[in-house]
Amino acid sequence: MNLEFNKNEDAMKIALGQLRTRLDKIALGGGKKAIEKQKEKNKLTARERISYLIDKDSVFIEIGAFAGYEMYEEYGGCPAGGTVAGTGYISGKQCVIVANDQTVKAGAWFPITGKKNLRMQEIALENNLPIIYLVDSAGVFLPMQDEIFPDKEHFGRIFRNNAQMSAKGITQIAAVMGACVAGGAYLPIMSDETLMVEGNGSIFLAGSYLVKAAIGEDIDNETLGGAVTHTEISGIADYKFKTEQECLDHIKKIVSKLGNPRGQIFNYASPLAPKRNVLDLYGIVPADATKAYDMLDVIERIVDNSEFEQFKEDYGKSILCGYARIEGWAVGIVANQRKIVKSKKGEMQMGGVIYNDSADKAARFIMNCNQKKIPLVFLQDVTGFMVGSRSEHAGIIKDGAKLVNAVANSVVPKITIIIGNSYGAGNYAMCGKAYDPRFIYAWPSAKIAVMGGEQAAKTLLQIQTSTLKAKGKTLNAEEEKKLLDEIKGRYDKQTTPYYAASRLWVDAIIDPIDTRKYISEGLKAASHNPDIKQFKTGVIQV
């Protein structure tokens, strides 16, 4: 191992330590006092409910742990968006699980809560996975109701999705373990089966206080909408249980009897571990995001037996394309090459930049994978498309559009891993969030922005100094440097993987050595939905 490798490894391990510390804090939800209050009511926390529900020693992929991170500070924050969610195994079947965290503002829905819940329903819809709702929520967070209630991607979309999933035959099970009020009351009733816990679970459009204010009726919440009421009188709920554990046990029984998913169409073989040491991933990617490295070294530590069959190996070298297996699943990999390479014309090409020939190659490869029904894995470390007169005259926009078209119209499952830089149109071309990857994850080394911090800061500085000059003001060198540092600091904060994860631009920030696991679980989920549409690209300039 060389000195540079050791420095990179140290930097990655420090970043992972920070990641784990932050996740540990998020796992406390609303804090220890709020958790104690749950216990006083004989209630489990959201994470305890999920832990009890899923199969012992099985894989649980948490989605959106950083949702809301460093947001809503004026309201005391919203850890994990007030919802714990992910994909896990119940009675041997892979399911989507969504659990309201009552310790966070009584499980109230912030704007990011709505976005996270919609993301989980999207995962269930795209992959034809059963979805389990563990309900314990006070409803919309009223101080922010205008940002969560009325728009297309707001609270009401949840119930629209309930109806859509039901029509598609996707199993939905709701366990009401606490409050389920107002509009939220529709979710369990629009699910296939509704379970309630006596004493704590309640469903009603309006609680006892509002009923008293609206129509003058005196009634307690349990009589109004408790488990006994809804299983014996209204018929809204299907089962009632004395304890949460009994309720969760019954979910396991229901899931155990679900029919098997339709046959998978994606090729699968016995998994093989990589020949090359997976732990090397910590030291391969430079701590300095501007430095070059060989992406092939990363790929060989992710794929089975470290075997990667390159497509057009000697053409378009700034993007690596090829076939491999990950935990047995056949995949097509599209990855930015970060080392400096020589083009077919003998020109040196910068690492991480998409050139004309690379865009052309990648577009063709994506078309091939769609033709062969092979899922795609994108490994992003891209600074954008090549600029300048030579590239413009050669038609870089045309070639870039071809690649974007192929990604946008791709019908096979796509999984994206952001390893390093993810800048500008490169983010789009390499299947960023806007291009519907089934799952998208980031390493702690990821940076997501319209351009690099240095370039962006200098551009913004030029704009600001020009504005000041127009007003007859000028900055001296010291003032200019101070302004540049301020702009760069603000911009750099917005490029971190935490900023992205807090807004659900990525599903999670992951340990690099777990990349195989996350891709594999994503492909297992995708295999539940074999209905692949016909691949069409429409008009492409050639």
PDB file of all heavy atoms in Angstrom, residues 370-400:
ATOM      1  N   ASN A 370     -31.065  -2.965 -22.525  1.00  0.00           N
ATOM      2  CA  ASN A 370     -32.525  -2.984 -22.618  1.00  0.00           C
ATOM      3  C   ASN A 370     -33.002  -4.078 -23.578  1.00  0.00           C
ATOM      4  O   ASN A 370     -34.009  -4.739 -23.318  1.00  0.00           O
ATOM      5  CB  ASN A 370     -33.041  -1.619 -23.065  1.00  0.00           C
ATOM      6  CG  ASN A 370     -33.184  -0.643 -21.914  1.00  0.00           C
ATOM      7  OD1 ASN A 370     -34.211  -0.595 -21.252  1.00  0.00           O
ATOM      8  ND2 ASN A 370     -32.131   0.127 -21.640  1.00  0.00           N
ATOM      9  N   GLN A 371     -32.279  -4.268 -24.654  1.00  0.00           N
ATOM     10  CA  GLN A 371     -32.614  -5.312 -25.626  1.00  0.00           C
ATOM     11  C   GLN A 371     -32.512  -6.694 -24.977  1.00  0.00           C
ATOM     12  O   GLN A 371     -33.316  -7.581 -25.243  1.00  0.00           O
ATOM     13  CB  GLN A 371     -31.641  -5.225 -26.811  1.00  0.00           C
ATOM     14  CG  GLN A 371     -31.915  -6.205 -27.942  1.00  0.00           C
ATOM     15  CD  GLN A 371     -32.975  -5.728 -28.901  1.00  0.00           C
ATOM     16  OE1 GLN A 371     -33.675  -4.751 -28.636  1.00  0.00           O
ATOM     17  NE2 GLN A 371     -33.120  -6.413 -30.019  1.00  0.00           N
ATOM     18  N   LYS A 372     -31.520  -6.868 -24.098  1.00  0.00           N
ATOM     19  CA  LYS A 372     -31.245  -8.169 -23.494  1.00  0.00           C
ATOM     20  C   LYS A 372     -31.901  -8.347 -22.131  1.00  0.00           C
ATOM     21  O   LYS A 372     -31.701  -9.377 -21.479  1.00  0.00           O
ATOM     22  CB  LYS A 372     -29.728  -8.354 -23.348  1.00  0.00           C
ATOM     23  CG  LYS A 372     -28.977  -8.341 -24.676  1.00  0.00           C
ATOM     24  CD  LYS A 372     -27.478  -8.334 -24.422  1.00  0.00           C
ATOM     25  CE  LYS A 372     -26.698  -8.225 -25.715  1.00  0.00           C
ATOM     26  NZ  LYS A 372     -25.234  -8.133 -25.468  1.00  0.00           N
ATOM     27  N   LYS A 373     -32.632  -7.345 -21.673  1.00  0.00           N
ATOM     28  CA  LYS A 373     -33.289  -7.380 -20.354  1.00  0.00           C
ATOM     29  C   LYS A 373     -32.252  -7.570 -19.235  1.00  0.00           C
ATOM     30  O   LYS A 373     -32.403  -8.401 -18.342  1.00  0.00           O
ATOM     31  CB  LYS A 373     -34.350  -8.482 -20.293  1.00  0.00           C
ATOM     32  CG  LYS A 373     -35.407  -8.391 -21.371  1.00  0.00           C
ATOM     33  CD  LYS A 373     -36.254  -7.141 -21.215  1.00  0.00           C
ATOM     34  CE  LYS A 373     -37.407  -7.099 -22.196  1.00  0.00           C
ATOM     35  NZ  LYS A 373     -36.974  -6.873 -23.606  1.00  0.00           N
ATOM     36  N   ILE A 374     -31.198  -6.775 -19.276  1.00  0.00           N
ATOM     37  CA  ILE A 374     -30.156  -6.802 -18.253  1.00  0.00           C
ATOM     38  C   ILE A 374     -30.229  -5.515 -17.442  1.00  0.00           C
ATOM     39  O   ILE A 374     -30.112  -4.413 -17.999  1.00  0.00           O
ATOM     40  CB  ILE A 374     -28.755  -6.938 -18.892  1.00  0.00           C
ATOM     41  CG1 ILE A 374     -28.651  -8.249 -19.678  1.00  0.00           C
ATOM     42  CG2 ILE A 374     -27.667  -6.867 -17.823  1.00  0.00           C
ATOM     43  CD1 ILE A 374     -27.355  -8.398 -20.450  1.00  0.00           C
ATOM     44  N   PRO A 375     -30.436  -5.577 -16.119  1.00  0.00           N
ATOM     45  CA  PRO A 375     -30.490  -4.365 -15.288  1.00  0.00           C
ATOM     46  C   PRO A 375     -29.192  -3.572 -15.384  1.00  0.00           C
ATOM     47  O   PRO A 375     -28.116  -4.132 -15.646  1.00  0.00           O
ATOM     48  CB  PRO A 375     -30.687  -4.917 -13.868  1.00  0.00           C
ATOM     49  CG  PRO A 375     -31.270  -6.277 -14.060  1.00  0.00           C
ATOM     50  CD  PRO A 375     -30.664  -6.802 -15.324  1.00  0.00           C
ATOM     51  N   LEU A 376     -29.293  -2.271 -15.135  1.00  0.00           N
ATOM     52  CA  LEU A 376     -28.149  -1.358 -15.263  1.00  0.00           C
ATOM     53  C   LEU A 376     -27.710  -0.833 -13.901  1.00  0.00           C
ATOM     54  O   LEU A 376     -28.538  -0.484 -13.059  1.00  0.00           O
ATOM     55  CB  LEU A 376     -28.515  -0.178 -16.164  1.00  0.00           C
ATOM     56  CG  LEU A 376     -28.594  -0.488 -17.664  1.00  0.00           C
ATOM     57  CD1 LEU A 376     -29.452   0.549 -18.384  1.00  0.00           C
ATOM     58  CD2 LEU A 376     -27.196  -0.538 -18.280  1.00  0.00           C
ATOM     59  N   VAL A 377     -26.405  -0.771 -13.712  1.00  0.00           N
ATOM     60  CA  VAL A 377     -25.814  -0.164 -12.523  1.00  0.00           C
ATOM     61  C   VAL A 377     -24.933   0.994 -12.975  1.00  0.00           C
ATOM     62  O   VAL A 377     -24.040   0.815 -13.805  1.00  0.00           O
ATOM     63  CB  VAL A 377     -24.968  -1.178 -11.725  1.00  0.00           C
ATOM     64  CG1 VAL A 377     -24.242  -0.478 -10.585  1.00  0.00           C
ATOM     65  CG2 VAL A 377     -25.856  -2.292 -11.173  1.00  0.00           C
ATOM     66  N   PHE A 378     -25.211   2.185 -12.467  1.00  0.00           N
ATOM     67  CA  PHE A 378     -24.427   3.376 -12.792  1.00  0.00           C
ATOM     68  C   PHE A 378     -23.518   3.711 -11.608  1.00  0.00           C
ATOM     69  O   PHE A 378     -23.995   3.830 -10.473  1.00  0.00           O
ATOM     70  CB  PHE A 378     -25.347   4.563 -13.087  1.00  0.00           C
ATOM     71  CG  PHE A 378     -26.140   4.419 -14.361  1.00  0.00           C
ATOM     72  CD1 PHE A 378     -27.330   3.700 -14.387  1.00  0.00           C
ATOM     73  CD2 PHE A 378     -25.698   5.007 -15.546  1.00  0.00           C
ATOM     74  CE1 PHE A 378     -28.060   3.557 -15.556  1.00  0.00           C
ATOM     75  CE2 PHE A 378     -26.418   4.868 -16.716  1.00  0.00           C
ATOM     76  CZ  PHE A 378     -27.605   4.145 -16.729  1.00  0.00           C
ATOM     77  N   LEU A 379     -22.237   3.864 -11.873  1.00  0.00           N
ATOM     78  CA  LEU A 379     -21.269   4.284 -10.857  1.00  0.00           C
ATOM     79  C   LEU A 379     -20.816   5.690 -11.225  1.00  0.00           C
ATOM     80  O   LEU A 379     -20.060   5.882 -12.179  1.00  0.00           O
ATOM     81  CB  LEU A 379     -20.083   3.323 -10.814  1.00  0.00           C
ATOM     82  CG  LEU A 379     -20.418   1.845 -10.531  1.00  0.00           C
ATOM     83  CD1 LEU A 379     -19.164   0.993 -10.550  1.00  0.00           C
ATOM     84  CD2 LEU A 379     -21.152   1.686  -9.206  1.00  0.00           C
ATOM     85  N   GLN A 380     -21.298   6.658 -10.468  1.00  0.00           N
ATOM     86  CA  GLN A 380     -21.060   8.070 -10.803  1.00  0.00           C
ATOM     87  C   GLN A 380     -19.821   8.644 -10.131  1.00  0.00           C
ATOM     88  O   GLN A 380     -19.665   8.539  -8.918  1.00  0.00           O
ATOM     89  CB  GLN A 380     -22.254   8.927 -10.367  1.00  0.00           C
ATOM     90  CG  GLN A 380     -23.456   8.885 -11.239  1.00  0.00           C
ATOM     91  CD  GLN A 380     -24.368  10.088 -10.976  1.00  0.00           C
ATOM     92  OE1 GLN A 380     -23.955  11.089 -10.394  1.00  0.00           O
ATOM     93  NE2 GLN A 380     -25.613  10.001 -11.409  1.00  0.00           N
ATOM     94  N   ASP A 381     -18.958   9.227 -10.934  1.00  0.00           N
ATOM     95  CA  ASP A 381     -17.931  10.160 -10.455  1.00  0.00           C
ATOM     96  C   ASP A 381     -17.634  11.054 -11.652  1.00  0.00           C
ATOM     97  O   ASP A 381     -16.640  10.888 -12.350  1.00  0.00           O
ATOM     98  CB  ASP A 381     -16.679   9.439  -9.965  1.00  0.00           C
ATOM     99  CG  ASP A 381     -15.769  10.370  -9.161  1.00  0.00           C
ATOM    100  OD1 ASP A 381     -15.936  11.606  -9.286  1.00  0.00           O
ATOM    101  OD2 ASP A 381     -14.893   9.883  -8.420  1.00  0.00           O
ATOM    102  N   VAL A 382     -18.528  11.997 -11.878  1.00  0.00           N
ATOM    103  CA  VAL A 382     -18.550  12.745 -13.134  1.00  0.00           C
ATOM    104  C   VAL A 382     -18.547  14.248 -12.874  1.00  0.00           C
ATOM    105  O   VAL A 382     -19.273  14.745 -12.023  1.00  0.00           O
ATOM    106  CB  VAL A 382     -19.786  12.335 -13.977  1.00  0.00           C
ATOM    107  CG1 VAL A 382     -21.088  12.556 -13.210  1.00  0.00           C
ATOM    108  CG2 VAL A 382     -19.813  13.051 -15.310  1.00  0.00           C
ATOM    109  N   THR A 383     -17.697  14.947 -13.604  1.00  0.00           N
ATOM    110  CA  THR A 383     -17.647  16.409 -13.473  1.00  0.00           C
ATOM    111  C   THR A 383     -18.419  17.110 -14.582  1.00  0.00           C
ATOM    112  O   THR A 383     -18.486  18.334 -14.590  1.00  0.00           O
ATOM    113  CB  THR A 383     -16.189  16.894 -13.478  1.00  0.00           C
ATOM    114  OG1 THR A 383     -15.528  16.391 -14.635  1.00  0.00           O
ATOM    115  CG2 THR A 383     -15.460  16.417 -12.237  1.00  0.00           C
ATOM    116  N   GLY A 384     -18.994  16.348 -15.506  1.00  0.00           N
ATOM    117  CA  GLY A 384     -19.814  16.941 -16.561  1.00  0.00           C
ATOM    118  C   GLY A 384     -19.344  16.532 -17.949  1.00  0.00           C
ATOM    119  O   GLY A 384     -18.489  15.659 -18.113  1.00  0.00           O
ATOM    120  N   PHE A 385     -19.933  17.171 -18.953  1.00  0.00           N
ATOM    121  CA  PHE A 385     -19.547  16.932 -20.347  1.00  0.00           C
ATOM    122  C   PHE A 385     -18.393  17.864 -20.722  1.00  0.00           C
ATOM    123  O   PHE A 385     -18.253  18.958 -20.166  1.00  0.00           O
ATOM    124  CB  PHE A 385     -20.729  17.186 -21.279  1.00  0.00           C
ATOM    125  CG  PHE A 385     -21.778  16.105 -21.234  1.00  0.00           C
ATOM    126  CD1 PHE A 385     -22.794  16.134 -20.291  1.00  0.00           C
ATOM    127  CD2 PHE A 385     -21.750  15.062 -22.136  1.00  0.00           C
ATOM    128  CE1 PHE A 385     -23.752  15.143 -20.233  1.00  0.00           C
ATOM    129  CE2 PHE A 385     -22.708  14.059 -22.103  1.00  0.00           C
ATOM    130  CZ  PHE A 385     -23.708  14.098 -21.154  1.00  0.00           C
ATOM    131  N   MET A 386     -17.586  17.438 -21.678  1.00  0.00           N
ATOM    132  CA  MET A 386     -16.458  18.246 -22.124  1.00  0.00           C
ATOM    133  C   MET A 386     -16.960  19.528 -22.792  1.00  0.00           C
ATOM    134  O   MET A 386     -17.904  19.487 -23.591  1.00  0.00           O
ATOM    135  CB  MET A 386     -15.583  17.455 -23.102  1.00  0.00           C
ATOM    136  CG  MET A 386     -14.281  18.153 -23.440  1.00  0.00           C
ATOM    137  SD  MET A 386     -13.323  18.457 -21.937  1.00  0.00           S
ATOM    138  CE  MET A 386     -12.026  19.510 -22.556  1.00  0.00           C
ATOM    139  N   VAL A 387     -16.327  20.654 -22.456  1.00  0.00           N
ATOM    140  CA  VAL A 387     -16.700  21.946 -23.041  1.00  0.00           C
ATOM    141  C   VAL A 387     -15.575  22.434 -23.963  1.00  0.00           C
ATOM    142  O   VAL A 387     -14.503  21.837 -24.036  1.00  0.00           O
ATOM    143  CB  VAL A 387     -16.981  22.984 -21.940  1.00  0.00           C
ATOM    144  CG1 VAL A 387     -18.157  22.553 -21.082  1.00  0.00           C
ATOM    145  CG2 VAL A 387     -15.739  23.182 -21.052  1.00  0.00           C
ATOM    146  N   GLY A 388     -15.835  23.551 -24.642  1.00  0.00           N
ATOM    147  CA  GLY A 388     -14.834  24.135 -25.539  1.00  0.00           C
ATOM    148  C   GLY A 388     -15.218  23.963 -26.993  1.00  0.00           C
ATOM    149  O   GLY A 388     -16.093  23.161 -27.342  1.00  0.00           O
ATOM    150  N   SER A 389     -14.559  24.710 -27.845  1.00  0.00           N
ATOM    151  CA  SER A 389     -14.924  24.749 -29.259  1.00  0.00           C
ATOM    152  C   SER A 389     -14.803  23.390 -29.944  1.00  0.00           C
ATOM    153  O   SER A 389     -15.646  23.014 -30.768  1.00  0.00           O
ATOM    154  CB  SER A 389     -14.065  25.786 -30.001  1.00  0.00           C
ATOM    155  OG  SER A 389     -12.682  25.447 -29.910  1.00  0.00           O
ATOM    156  N   ARG A 390     -13.752  22.634 -29.601  1.00  0.00           N
ATOM    157  CA  ARG A 390     -13.571  21.344 -30.271  1.00  0.00           C
ATOM    158  C   ARG A 390     -14.752  20.411 -29.983  1.00  0.00           C
ATOM    159  O   ARG A 390     -15.287  19.767 -30.898  1.00  0.00           O
ATOM    160  CB  ARG A 390     -12.264  20.707 -29.811  1.00  0.00           C
ATOM    161  CG  ARG A 390     -12.001  19.347 -30.458  1.00  0.00           C
ATOM    162  CD  ARG A 390     -10.655  18.780 -30.044  1.00  0.00           C
ATOM    163  NE  ARG A 390      -9.556  19.582 -30.537  1.00  0.00           N
ATOM    164  CZ  ARG A 390      -8.284  19.304 -30.324  1.00  0.00           C
ATOM    165  NH1 ARG A 390      -7.952  18.238 -29.603  1.00  0.00           N
ATOM    166  NH2 ARG A 390      -7.327  20.071 -30.801  1.00  0.00           N
ATOM    167  N   SER A 391     -15.169  20.355 -28.720  1.00  0.00           N
ATOM    168  CA  SER A 391     -16.295  19.486 -28.358  1.00  0.00           C
ATOM    169  C   SER A 391     -17.605  19.995 -28.944  1.00  0.00           C
ATOM    170  O   SER A 391     -18.428  19.214 -29.443  1.00  0.00           O
ATOM    171  CB  SER A 391     -16.424  19.387 -26.837  1.00  0.00           C
ATOM    172  OG  SER A 391     -15.380  18.635 -26.292  1.00  0.00           O
ATOM    173  N   GLU A 392     -17.799  21.309 -28.879  1.00  0.00           N
ATOM    174  CA  GLU A 392     -19.037  21.887 -29.424  1.00  0.00           C
ATOM    175  C   GLU A 392     -19.152  21.632 -30.926  1.00  0.00           C
ATOM    176  O   GLU A 392     -20.213  21.250 -31.432  1.00  0.00           O
ATOM    177  CB  GLU A 392     -19.099  23.388 -29.136  1.00  0.00           C
ATOM    178  CG  GLU A 392     -19.167  23.755 -27.651  1.00  0.00           C
ATOM    179  CD  GLU A 392     -20.465  23.376 -26.966  1.00  0.00           C
ATOM    180  OE1 GLU A 392     -21.353  22.775 -27.609  1.00  0.00           O
ATOM    181  OE2 GLU A 392     -20.595  23.661 -25.751  1.00  0.00           O
ATOM    182  N   HIS A 393     -18.051  21.825 -31.629  1.00  0.00           N
ATOM    183  CA  HIS A 393     -18.073  21.623 -33.079  1.00  0.00           C
ATOM    184  C   HIS A 393     -18.249  20.148 -33.447  1.00  0.00           C
ATOM    185  O   HIS A 393     -18.780  19.819 -34.505  1.00  0.00           O
ATOM    186  CB  HIS A 393     -16.780  22.169 -33.707  1.00  0.00           C
ATOM    187  CG  HIS A 393     -16.641  23.650 -33.553  1.00  0.00           C
ATOM    188  ND1 HIS A 393     -15.498  24.340 -33.864  1.00  0.00           N
ATOM    189  CD2 HIS A 393     -17.521  24.593 -33.100  1.00  0.00           C
ATOM    190  CE1 HIS A 393     -15.660  25.620 -33.614  1.00  0.00           C
ATOM    191  NE2 HIS A 393     -16.885  25.800 -33.141  1.00  0.00           N
ATOM    192  N   ALA A 394     -17.801  19.276 -32.539  1.00  0.00           N
ATOM    193  CA  ALA A 394     -17.959  17.838 -32.777  1.00  0.00           C
ATOM    194  C   ALA A 394     -19.355  17.342 -32.391  1.00  0.00           C
ATOM    195  O   ALA A 394     -19.687  16.172 -32.608  1.00  0.00           O
ATOM    196  CB  ALA A 394     -16.901  17.067 -31.993  1.00  0.00           C
ATOM    197  N   GLY A 395     -20.174  18.231 -31.817  1.00  0.00           N
ATOM    198  CA  GLY A 395     -21.559  17.873 -31.491  1.00  0.00           C
ATOM    199  C   GLY A 395     -21.747  17.233 -30.136  1.00  0.00           C
ATOM    200  O   GLY A 395     -22.539  16.302 -29.973  1.00  0.00           O
ATOM    201  N   ILE A 396     -21.044  17.763 -29.100  1.00  0.00           N
ATOM    202  CA  ILE A 396     -21.163  17.180 -27.767  1.00  0.00           C
ATOM    203  C   ILE A 396     -22.594  17.240 -27.243  1.00  0.00           C
ATOM    204  O   ILE A 396     -23.054  16.322 -26.546  1.00  0.00           O
ATOM    205  CB  ILE A 396     -20.185  17.867 -26.768  1.00  0.00           C
ATOM    206  CG1 ILE A 396     -20.174  17.137 -25.412  1.00  0.00           C
ATOM    207  CG2 ILE A 396     -20.521  19.339 -26.584  1.00  0.00           C
ATOM    208  CD1 ILE A 396     -19.631  15.734 -25.456  1.00  0.00           C
ATOM    209  N   ILE A 397     -23.320  18.293 -27.588  1.00  0.00           N
ATOM    210  CA  ILE A 397     -24.715  18.397 -27.124  1.00  0.00           C
ATOM    211  C   ILE A 397     -25.557  17.286 -27.744  1.00  0.00           C
ATOM    212  O   ILE A 397     -26.392  16.658 -27.079  1.00  0.00           O
ATOM    213  CB  ILE A 397     -25.302  19.789 -27.457  1.00  0.00           C
ATOM    214  CG1 ILE A 397     -24.511  20.874 -26.733  1.00  0.00           C
ATOM    215  CG2 ILE A 397     -26.776  19.856 -27.058  1.00  0.00           C
ATOM    216  CD1 ILE A 397     -24.918  22.286 -27.108  1.00  0.00           C
ATOM    217  N   LYS A 398     -25.313  17.015 -29.024  1.00  0.00           N
ATOM    218  CA  LYS A 398     -26.042  15.951 -29.718  1.00  0.00           C
ATOM    219  C   LYS A 398     -25.728  14.592 -29.094  1.00  0.00           C
ATOM    220  O   LYS A 398     -26.633  13.800 -28.816  1.00  0.00           O
ATOM    221  CB  LYS A 398     -25.644  15.949 -31.197  1.00  0.00           C
ATOM    222  CG  LYS A 398     -26.212  14.805 -32.020  1.00  0.00           C
ATOM    223  CD  LYS A 398     -25.621  14.785 -33.424  1.00  0.00           C
ATOM    224  CE  LYS A 398     -24.135  14.430 -33.378  1.00  0.00           C
ATOM    225  NZ  LYS A 398     -23.553  14.333 -34.733  1.00  0.00           N
ATOM    226  N   ASP A 399     -24.457  14.319 -28.863  1.00  0.00           N
ATOM    227  CA  ASP A 399     -24.074  13.031 -28.280  1.00  0.00           C
ATOM    228  C   ASP A 399     -24.551  12.916 -26.834  1.00  0.00           C
ATOM    229  O   ASP A 399     -24.969  11.838 -26.392  1.00  0.00           O
ATOM    230  CB  ASP A 399     -22.554  12.861 -28.354  1.00  0.00           C
ATOM    231  CG  ASP A 399     -22.063  12.670 -29.781  1.00  0.00           C
ATOM    232  OD1 ASP A 399     -22.764  12.014 -30.565  1.00  0.00           O
ATOM    233  OD2 ASP A 399     -20.987  13.197 -30.121  1.00  0.00           O
ATOM    234  N   GLY A 400     -24.486  14.023 -26.095  1.00  0.00           N
ATOM    235  CA  GLY A 400     -24.996  14.021 -24.731  1.00  0.00           C
ATOM    236  C   GLY A 400     -26.493  13.772 -24.700  1.00  0.00           C
ATOM    237  O   GLY A 400     -26.995  13.027 -23.854  1.00  0.00           O
TER     238      GLY A 400
END
